[in-house]
Amino acid sequence: MQVFWFIPTHGDSRYLGTSEGAREVGFDYLKQIAVAADTLGYEGVLIPTGRSCEDPWVAASALAAVTQKLKFLVAVRPGLMTPTLAARMAATFDRIAGGRLLVNLVTGGDVAELEGDGLFLDHAERYEASSEFIRVWRDVLAASHDNGEVSFEGKHITVKGARVLYPPLQRPHPPVYFGGSSAAAHDLAAEQVEKYLTWGEPPAEVAKKVADVRARAEKHGRKVSFGIRLHVIVRETEDEAWAAADNLISRLDDATVTRAQAVFAKMDSEGQRRMAALHAGGANRSREALEISPNLWAGVGLVRGGAGTALVGDPKTVAARIEEYAELGIDTFIFSGYPHLEEAYRFAELVFPLLPRRVRDKLPGQVLSGPFGEVMATGIVPRASQS
């Protein structure tokens, strides 16, 4: 099991949909989150992409310099960059960061955003272009280890004698992650990527996705691993966790939700459509309506695009829900919480000790370098809780 955190380059707050309790997204704050994730033992961090975010490659490059073990899941965008340029960027980052790059292939589903960036392909064409893009990207990086070159002629992408002179540390290339809910997305995942990512849907729906991608991959003689993207709201008790969930959306008004859902409805993303369906487009915001599966809450998706669900509960309950997804074949969990700095600590401190040994071994204090906790009366060392 791998546990990742999230770098909020599009903003952070205590309350969704308002500037109240918001954080300035400057380098100092992002650095605090990255260093916290690195210190706490998270495997890596996802850096989002899109016009609402700071550039992920620039942000990741800066944060790699202030961290030691943390891996960075950074997006490549077919149609917005050429595959050979993206390959050079990936190789350089991987070399400078000591093999800590993971690549997130993002096709995109917001038509208005894509057109603003000069990309005018429809849904089917974007997946065709993404398939050609990642094929060239993979091939040119694999060839770079032997100083080779690649030529390719496709419908959307053509290269002749493409080369990367400085190969990545990871062979044949940094692992490729990819998410999408359409049949075209599942085909692409089955054929070309190392890890398929799903947003946080109920376990039964996630199981269907895993089975479908796995079956498609087997037809190509391949194996794909699986990850999930979720928010998390964990507190010491169930009541406290649900109160925190209610508080997160307590400043939202109907007009804000309506505006956000209108934007999401114009997207041609199957994943976004499925997220909106979980809460009926924001029509009902009661606790009962938003808890779409035990401890799976769709409140975040009222105004946030992309991943819109959160695990909510006390530590044992949240750990149990994580194990349920793991039993379906999910081995990578990408979490986030508001605000991201405090919640990185809270989740690590409350839930990490309940996860499998490989995760627990990374916790501070497993290799004792001194007392952990506040020393009392100048010499009494804290002991573990007996409760």
Side-chain angles (χ1 to χ4, degrees):
M1 182 182 293
Q2 297 177 318
V3 180
F4 285 53
W5 197 244
F6 185 84
I7 301 294
T9 59
H10 52 45
D12 201 4
S13 179
R14 290 186 178 277
Y15 306 102
L16 290 178
T18 175
S19 61
E20 183 179 350
R23 305 285 171 83
E24 180 182 357
V25 184
F27 178 64
D28 284 346
Y29 183 59
L30 298 181
K31 180 172 65 174
Q32 288 180 62
I33 299 171
V35 171
D38 197 26
T39 303
L40 290 165
Y42 289 91
E43 186 87 9
V45 287
L46 169 63
I47 300 184
T49 185
R51 69 180 176 186
S52 63
C53 310
E54 297 279 17
D55 181 79
W57 285 91
V58 175
S61 298
L63 295 174
V66 297
T67 53
Q68 299 179 30
K69 298 180 181 179
L70 202 65
K71 297 176 183 177
F72 292 87
L73 181 53
V74 190
V76 292
R77 299 292 302 266
L80 306 187
M81 54 176 66
T82 69
T84 309
L85 171 62
R88 290 196 189 99
M89 293 166 62
T92 299
F93 186 101
D94 200 50
R95 291 167 68 88
I96 291 175
R100 291 189 283 146
L101 176 64
L102 305 170
V103 168
N104 187 20
L105 175 63
V106 176
T107 296
D110 185 338
V111 174
E113 178 186 64
L114 292 167
E115 289 180 352
D117 285 335
L119 188 63
F120 293 87
L121 302 179
D122 63 26
H123 185 275
E125 291 172 328
R126 290 201 305 273
Y127 277 99
E128 291 172 350
S130 291
S131 181
E132 293 179 4
F133 176 100
I134 203 63
R135 186 178 303 279
V136 173
W137 184 92
R138 286 160 47 102
D139 288 350
V140 76
L141 285 178
S144 70
H145 295 285
D146 299 314
N147 199 28
E149 62 181 39
V150 171
S151 295
F152 176 87
E153 184 173 353
K155 178 180 177 181
H156 302 278
I157 292 172
T158 297
V159 297
K160 182 178 180 180
R163 299 179 67 187
V164 169
L165 297 180
Y166 301 94
L169 291 184
Q170 298 179 83
R171 289 176 174 265
H173 52 72
V176 179
Y177 289 48
F178 171 76
S181 295
S182 65
H186 286 197
D187 279 338
L188 194 161
E191 293 176 11
Q192 299 209 57
V193 309
E194 280 70 51
K195 192 175 298 289
Y196 173 80
L197 293 175
T198 178
W199 288 332
E201 298 183 25
E205 295 304 311
V206 171
K208 293 177 184 177
K209 284 185 169 184
V210 169
D212 186 54
V213 173
R214 183 175 283 151
R216 293 174 191 243
E218 287 175 353
K219 293 179 181 178
H220 296 281
R222 300 185 70 244
K223 290 184 178 180
V224 177
S225 61
F226 298 91
I228 193 168
R229 171 78 179 95
L230 285 158
H231 305 278
V232 64
I233 302 172
V234 62
R235 298 294 186 271
E236 293 189 6
T237 69
E238 285 278 307
D239 288 343
E240 289 174 326
W242 285 109
D246 291 338
N247 195 47
L248 183 62
I249 60 172
S250 63
R251 307 305 198 263
L252 282 180
D253 55 39
D254 291 342
T256 301
V257 175
T258 300
R259 286 178 59 198
Q261 292 301 316
V263 172
F264 301 151
K266 295 177 181 178
M267 298 180 182
D268 64 1
S269 163
E270 174 64 13
Q272 188 62 59
R273 185 197 66 77
R274 292 168 70 104
M275 283 286 104
L278 295 177
H279 51 66
N284 191 336
R285 301 203 290 278
S286 69
R287 153 85 183 272
E288 293 73 22
L290 292 176
E291 189 179 3
I292 56 173
S293 181
N295 302 98
L296 184 64
W297 181 71
V300 178
L302 293 173
V303 291
R304 187 196 190 281
T309 55
L311 293 180
V312 181
D314 62 46
K316 288 184 178 179
T317 301
V318 168
R321 299 300 178 218
I322 292 171
E323 291 289 354
E324 287 179 6
Y325 284 113
E327 289 173 0
L328 301 178
I330 301 294
D331 62 23
T332 299
F333 294 80
I334 303 174
F335 291 116
S336 57
Y338 298 91
H340 288 74
L341 179 59
E342 290 93 317
E343 295 303 309
Y345 275 94
R346 195 191 306 269
F347 180 80
E349 291 167 353
L350 294 179
V351 182
F352 271 18
L354 305 177
L355 296 180
R357 185 78 232 177
R358 183 176 181 273
V359 177
R360 300 202 310 269
D361 285 345
K362 294 184 177 183
L363 279 172
Q366 297 301 307
V367 178
L368 209 58
S369 59
F372 283 79
E374 184 178 0
V375 175
M376 299 166 285
T378 73
I380 303 173
V381 176
R383 64 188 179 91
S385 173
Q386 300 304 306
S387 60

